[in-house]
Amino acid sequence: DDIEVEINIKHSINEYDFIFRMINPESFFVVGDYRQNIYESLKGASYKYIVGLAERPDVIKFDLNENYRNKANILQRAKQTLRAIGMVDNSRAMSLGGTVYEGRLDMDTLLYWIDTVDTYKDWAILCYSNEDIQWMMNELKQHNIPVINFNQKQKTKKELDDLVNTNAVKVLTVWGAKGLGFPNVAVYDS
């Protein structure tokens, strides 16, 4: 029999606790990564629930640390960046290689690099603040380089694919670019 329950839960209990108490599972299987939480602002979602679940004495936790997305050199550079802001990534790359060019670029050099590729869609410039995004977009527009900015929240996969494939340089926050991949990425830090 199907049971339909509608409950208006106030602040005294959250949906997560309610569901676990209601179904009281004998065993369960959960996959998650608290570091990939991008929905904290939606309906009280929080990484704290999965962290709390993993810390329960009756739960066995398996760390899945294989990184199939990034090659070793790129992952190593990303880890250095994360360490600088107090985050730890204990994943290991499952493939070798990857090229990272690091150094200070002036705007003219960046514009030159962007103009040397056949298509603008292969470029993303990541910024740490919305003010930096606005500044960068204005600079690119002044040089007649097509540019877009978008937020991943509430977008379908098709909408995101269309935006990523738009022939324009994407200027996004470092956090807003999470999960997206581009052949050429520059990180702007004012």
Side-chain angles (χ1 to χ4, degrees):
D1 293 329
D2 291 338
I3 300 173
E4 190 172 315
V5 178
E6 181 178 327
I7 297 180
N8 186 2
I9 301 172
K10 297 293 182 191
H11 299 291
S12 61
I13 186 171
N14 62 53
E15 293 170 1
Y16 167 85
D17 288 333
F18 172 76
I19 289 170
F20 259 87
R21 289 179 189 171
M22 186 173 95
I23 62 176
N24 193 21
E26 186 175 311
S27 63
F28 56 89
F29 178 79
V30 178
V31 176
D33 184 348
Y34 70 91
R35 296 166 299 188
Q36 301 215 19
N37 178 39
I38 59 174
Y39 299 107
E40 189 141 9
S41 63
L42 301 176
K43 293 191 173 188
S46 175
Y47 70 91
K48 294 172 187 161
Y49 298 125
I50 199 158
V51 169
L53 184 63
E55 291 173 350
R56 284 178 34 174
D58 60 331
V59 169
I60 300 170
K61 180 178 115 179
F62 297 93
D63 289 323
L64 306 175
N65 296 323
E66 293 83 14
N67 183 319
Y68 291 92
R69 180 180 291 172
N70 301 307
K71 295 190 179 227
N73 294 338
I74 294 169
L75 182 59
Q76 188 60 36
R77 182 59 185 106
K79 287 180 177 188
Q80 290 171 355
T81 301
L82 290 172
R83 262 194 306 275
I85 60 172
M87 295 181 72
V88 176
D89 180 343
N90 60 356
S91 65
R92 61 183 180 272
M94 300 310 290
S95 59
L96 299 175
T99 304
V100 176
Y101 298 101
E102 187 173 347
R104 296 232 173 250
L105 286 178
D106 58 53
M107 195 62 187
D108 289 334
T109 305
L110 179 59
L111 292 168
Y112 171 77
W113 278 15
I114 291 171
D115 277 332
T116 60
V117 296
D118 293 334
T119 177
Y120 293 116
K121 75 176 187 168
D122 289 341
W123 274 93
I125 300 175
L126 308 183
C127 302
Y128 288 100
S129 71
N130 290 327
E131 293 80 21
D132 288 345
I133 286 175
Q134 285 307 122
W135 183 86
M136 182 60 68
M137 290 182 70
N138 289 336
E139 284 292 310
L140 295 172
K141 286 176 185 176
Q142 287 176 12
H143 291 87
N144 298 315
I145 294 176
V147 60
I148 63 170
N149 169 265
F150 57 87
N151 187 324
Q152 291 190 57
K153 289 183 182 177
Q154 300 178 348
K155 299 260 189 299
T156 66
K157 180 172 179 349
K158 173 151 180 19
E159 290 170 329
L160 280 175
D161 288 345
D162 290 346
L163 288 166
V164 167
N165 289 312
T166 300
N167 192 26
V169 175
K170 284 61 171 184
V171 181
L172 308 165
T173 62
V174 172
W175 303 273
K178 183 173 180 33
L180 302 176
F182 301 94
N184 305 297
V185 177
V187 178
Y188 173 74
D189 185 7
S190 60

